[in-house]
Amino acid sequence: MAIIMLQTWLSTGLFIIAHDCMHGSLAPGRRRLNTMIGTICLAAYAGLSYRVLYPKHKAHHRAPGTSADPDFNAAEPRRAWPWFVCFFMNYYTHGQIVRITAAAIVYMLFGASLENIAAFWAVPALLALAQLFVFGTYLPHRHGEAAFADRHHARSNDWPALASLLTCFHFGAYHHEHHLSPGTPWWRLPYIRAASKVPHRQ
């Protein structure tokens, strides 16, 4: 179980690396390198397509928490389960299933059992999806009693640094900071909060 949980966290990390690639912060000024690394990380994580996710993530930052945001469920801005279903269906593609199936076949040809593929790749990928949704999307963008601070419709929290790192590589606890400065890599988000001015760049 400990290995599966570690693999889940590392799978989340693969998505976070790809996310930084989308914002150009992994290799600043080198778009092709960012695209290549992001493509590899998303494929390794869950057979996802960087080419498909990139414009959707840009749309999320253009209109966060609105009906134009592919990560948001405007019909259910408070309830997690309907929002998650909408979120999942918006990103699911038949191509992803084809890529996952092809990868599983290759793994089995090299001697991996279907049980191990499920336990150490499929299950961690699904758990990472839930982790990314809850801590990186739902909690920061859900509607509550208090109004959002600005047009980003995002909230941060005051979790300890270790909890912030373990839950979503700082993109949950520092989500508002991320929207204010999307070009800042995940590991520098705590410094953004401490700074007197937040650079606005994307």
Side-chain angles (χ1 to χ4, degrees):
M1 180 59 72
I3 294 176
I4 292 175
M5 297 311 296
L6 175 61
Q7 186 66 20
T8 297
W9 186 70
L10 293 175
S11 295
T12 300
L14 282 174
F15 186 91
I16 295 302
I17 292 171
H19 172 268
D20 273 358
C21 288
M22 293 179 192
H23 289 291
S25 59
L26 186 75
R30 304 185 68 180
R31 183 169 182 175
R32 291 180 66 182
L33 181 59
N34 281 309
T35 298
M36 181 184 71
I37 295 173
T39 298
I40 293 170
C41 287
L42 288 180
Y45 162 53
L48 292 168
S49 167
Y50 185 90
R51 179 180 57 82
V52 171
L53 263 66
Y54 181 83
K56 290 188 176 185
H57 191 66
K58 290 298 183 180
H60 166 68
H61 275 270
R62 281 195 302 270
T66 71
S67 59
D69 178 0
D71 291 0
F72 186 66
N73 187 349
E76 294 284 0
R78 297 190 181 202
R79 297 175 60 209
W81 181 247
W83 188 341
F84 176 76
V85 172
C86 179
F87 179 84
F88 178 83
M89 295 306 296
N90 191 43
Y91 283 94
Y92 164 86
T93 66
H94 295 314
Q96 180 186 10
I97 298 303
V98 170
R99 289 187 291 272
I100 289 173
T101 302
I105 291 172
V106 171
Y107 285 144
M108 287 189 288
L109 288 175
F110 278 94
S113 69
L114 189 58
E115 291 80 6
N116 282 343
I117 293 170
F120 300 113
W121 186 38
V123 170
L126 289 170
L127 292 175
L129 170 64
Q131 183 175 354
L132 288 161
F133 171 74
V134 171
F135 297 108
T137 298
Y138 174 69
L139 293 179
H141 290 290
R142 80 189 189 284
H143 287 199
E145 298 303 322
F148 291 105
D150 53 34
R151 67 174 183 83
H152 296 289
H153 300 115
R155 293 189 180 90
S156 296
N157 60 56
D158 294 322
W159 292 351
L162 182 59
S164 174
L165 174 63
L166 292 177
T167 52
C168 203
F169 287 80
H170 299 316
F171 279 109
Y174 297 89
H175 203 79
H176 187 232
E177 286 80 1
H178 167 59
H179 274 266
L180 291 173
S181 180
T184 297
W186 68 267
W187 53 272
R188 282 198 56 83
L189 288 173
Y191 298 98
I192 293 298
R193 182 180 296 176
S196 58
K197 286 188 177 181
V198 179
H200 292 247
R201 63 185 186 273
Q202 183 168 3

